Amino acid sequence: MKRMRALVKTSPDTVELQQVPVPEPDASQVLIRDSAAALCGTDLHVYRWNTWARNAGIQLPVVMGHECCGEVVAAGAAVSGLHPGDKVAVETHIPCGNCLQCRNGEQHICANLKLFSIHTDGCFAEYAVVPGVCARKIPEAISSRVGAVMEPLGTALRSALEMQVAGASVLVTGCGPIGLFAVASAAALGATRIIASDVSPNRLEIAGRMGAHRNVDPGAEDLVAAVLAETGGTGVDAVIEASGNVSAIQQAFRCLRKGGRVALVGLPDRPLELEIGKEVVFKEAKVVGIHGRTMFETWTRMENLLVSGKLDAMPAITHVLPLERWKEGIDLASNATACKVVFEP
Ligand SMILES: NC(=O)c1ccc[n+]([C@@H]2O[C@H](COP(=O)([O-])OP(=O)(O)OC[C@H]3O[C@@H](n4cnc5c(N)ncnc54)[C@H](O)[C@@H]3O)[C@@H](O)[C@H]2O)c1
Ligand SMILES: [Zn+2]
Ligand SMILES: [Zn+2]
């Protein structure tokens, strides 16, 4: 049996680069040879085996990693439209195909949603098996490194699309990978004023290179005052909240103009207080939760924006490492000097 290198979470305390059998696709799956795979906050949760990871339904051992790009090596008999040699990126939401949402074209919020690398083995390996429905063929013009980050990029682009940012002022709170991709997406879609906030100077510097006109460190200056000054006292037309930080979320609503729109992407680790009357009802704020990408309109638009050169994900990819240096990647990603770390298996 052919074997491969894979980064495996073997027990609550251990992660090991192991030799394991190359998986075999069933009729509904494809086998891909991974060319690039990106590290995400979720992988850090699994690595540390925190409360979220312990309760996510993960069966150990599991091959880690879910954001990836590769080449189809074999396609199951029931998979149509994918052939050996095709370049693909992976959608991590695995829909059931039968629930109310799936039948209404909202597969990404399927009632029985499974997640690649949480409920299946993942892609920090030489090969990975992926449900055919989740292997998205992409043009050769998109590099493997960018292909590997299309999953988080798509979440950010989706937020900017939902926020109708063309000709609008936008505040992006949090400039991790998702926030930086949101800044780039807002710029690509024609936002005319983009304010980015983060407590990390490195990440704010990258935000400037990806299209932010004004950076704010909320630890050093008053975010609400800065946003009001930037918008002639009205507040921004739209907010993309990508920090998950409770005080950032509370401030984000105070930065919004009356009639404005808010996309909530960040995941706070606890419930929070919000003055609903003042910040939502009388403001007529339109609040949208964003869970990943639509399948597959977001992917189609993202592909077009990348190929046209209007959207550039590269400035957020700060490190590219061979898989052997996985520990260094995890240490870099845990520290805000790095942003997106990509492994090349
Ligand atoms: N909804 C979804 O589909 C989805 C998908 C992926 C990630 N997420 C969530 O989105 C958030 C961002 O993901 P990421 O991978 O970019 O994470 P990240 O942790 O790398 O980025 C969060 C950023 O917020 C910054 N931050 C912290 N406190 C802040 C404050 N008060 N004001 C402004 N910025 C502050 C941090 O310095 C960091 O740069 C996380 O909460 C993550 O769980 C949601
Ligand atoms: Zn991810
Ligand atoms: Zn479903």
Side-chain angles (χ1 to χ4, degrees), residues 40-65:
C40 166
T42 309
D43 305 312
L44 301 180
H45 296 324
V46 174
Y47 172 75
R48 294 176 189 139
W49 206 244
N50 61 12
T51 311
W52 180 87
R54 284 197 298 276
N55 294 301
I58 304 171
Q59 301 278 337
L60 298 180
V62 69
V63 176
M64 293 175 64

Side-chain angles (χ1 to χ4, degrees), residues 99-107:
C99 72
L100 177 70
Q101 284 77 241
C102 284
R103 287 176 188 276
N104 285 340
E106 295 177 325
Q107 296 96 310

Side-chain angles (χ1 to χ4, degrees), residues 217-262:
D217 173 350
E221 80 179 290
D222 181 338
L223 177 68
V224 181
V227 167
L228 291 177
E230 285 292 315
T231 54
T234 61
V236 283
D237 298 311
V239 174
I240 299 175
E241 203 306 301
S243 73
N245 179 279
V246 167
S247 76
I249 297 169
Q250 290 163 329
Q251 282 181 330
F253 279 89
R254 289 166 46 216
C255 292
L256 189 71
R257 74 159 167 85
K258 281 189 143 191
R261 307 174 286 280
V262 180

Side-chain angles (χ1 to χ4, degrees), residues 250-283:
Q250 290 163 329
Q251 282 181 330
F253 279 89
R254 289 166 46 216
C255 292
L256 189 71
R257 74 159 167 85
K258 281 189 143 191
R261 307 174 286 280
V262 180
L264 295 176
V265 190
L267 295 164
D269 58 9
R270 58 191 159 92
L272 60 96
E273 276 183 30
L274 203 59
E275 273 191 73
I276 295 290
K278 186 171 169 210
E279 305 299 356
V280 179
V281 178
F282 298 132
K283 253 187 189 172

Side-chain angles (χ1 to χ4, degrees), residues 42-341:
T42 309
D43 305 312
L44 301 180
H45 296 324
V46 174
Y47 172 75
R48 294 176 189 139
W49 206 244
N50 61 12
T51 311
W52 180 87
R54 284 197 298 276
N55 294 301
I58 304 171
Q59 301 278 337
L60 298 180
V62 69
V63 176
M64 293 175 64
H66 58 273
E67 298 175 359
C68 70
C69 178
E71 184 188 307
V72 175
V73 177
V79 176
S80 59
L82 288 171
H83 305 284
D86 286 346
K87 187 172 194 169
V88 292
V90 175
E91 165 57 61
T92 55
H93 287 198
I94 306 174
C96 76
N98 291 314
C99 72
L100 177 70
Q101 284 77 241
C102 284
R103 287 176 188 276
N104 285 340
E106 295 177 325
Q107 296 96 310
H108 67 292
I109 46 169
C110 165
N112 308 306
L113 192 67
K114 296 269 185 286
L115 298 170
F116 181 58
S117 93
I118 296 297
H119 304 109
T120 69
D121 276 328
C123 61
F124 288 166
E126 289 175 86
Y127 295 87
V129 150
V130 178
V133 65
C134 297
R136 166 82 189 187
K137 189 174 171 183
I138 59 169
E140 288 296 333
I142 297 177
S143 73
S144 295
R145 290 173 186 182
V146 171
V149 301
M150 284 176 81
E151 192 262 25
L153 178 62
T155 300
L157 174 62
R158 165 103 189 287
S159 317
L161 286 165
E162 294 275 353
M163 290 298 96
Q164 301 168 18
V165 297
S169 56
V170 182
L171 167 67
V172 177
T173 47
C175 293
I178 298 281
L180 289 176
F181 290 148
V183 167
S185 298
L189 296 176
T192 40
R193 193 97 199 123
I194 302 173
I195 305 163
S197 78
D198 202 294
V199 290
S200 153
N202 301 312
R203 292 184 166 189
L204 284 178
E205 186 274 323
I206 302 173
R209 284 191 277 131
M210 295 185 88
H213 303 102
R214 170 79 154 88
N215 289 336
V216 179
D217 173 350
E221 80 179 290
D222 181 338
L223 177 68
V224 181
V227 167
L228 291 177
E230 285 292 315
T231 54
T234 61
V236 283
D237 298 311
V239 174
I240 299 175
E241 203 306 301
S243 73
N245 179 279
V246 167
S247 76
I249 297 169
Q250 290 163 329
Q251 282 181 330
F253 279 89
R254 289 166 46 216
C255 292
L256 189 71
R257 74 159 167 85
K258 281 189 143 191
R261 307 174 286 280
V262 180
L264 295 176
V265 190
L267 295 164
D269 58 9
R270 58 191 159 92
L272 60 96
E273 276 183 30
L274 203 59
E275 273 191 73
I276 295 290
K278 186 171 169 210
E279 305 299 356
V280 179
V281 178
F282 298 132
K283 253 187 189 172
E284 290 205 353
K286 289 147 195 87
V287 184
V288 186
I290 300 288
H291 189 201
R293 307 131 300 278
T294 59
M295 295 164 70
F296 288 90
E297 193 198 350
T298 311
W299 284 87
T300 306
R301 288 178 186 255
M302 174 164 50
E303 198 174 288
N304 293 341
L305 287 164
L306 286 170
V307 172
S308 71
K310 288 186 190 301
L311 181 60
D312 182 10
M314 284 304 285
I317 301 177
T318 53
H319 297 77
V320 179
L321 299 171
L323 188 55
E324 284 70 20
R325 287 166 63 189
W326 64 270
K327 182 64 173 62
E328 191 181 332
I330 284 181
D331 292 343
L332 280 165
S334 305
N335 161 347
T337 46
C339 196
K340 207 69 182 163
V341 176

Side-chain angles (χ1 to χ4, degrees), residues 21-41:
V22 172
E24 285 187 20
D26 69 19
S28 67
Q29 297 171 325
V30 294
L31 176 68
I32 65 170
R33 184 185 299 112
D34 294 325
S35 45
L39 195 56
C40 166

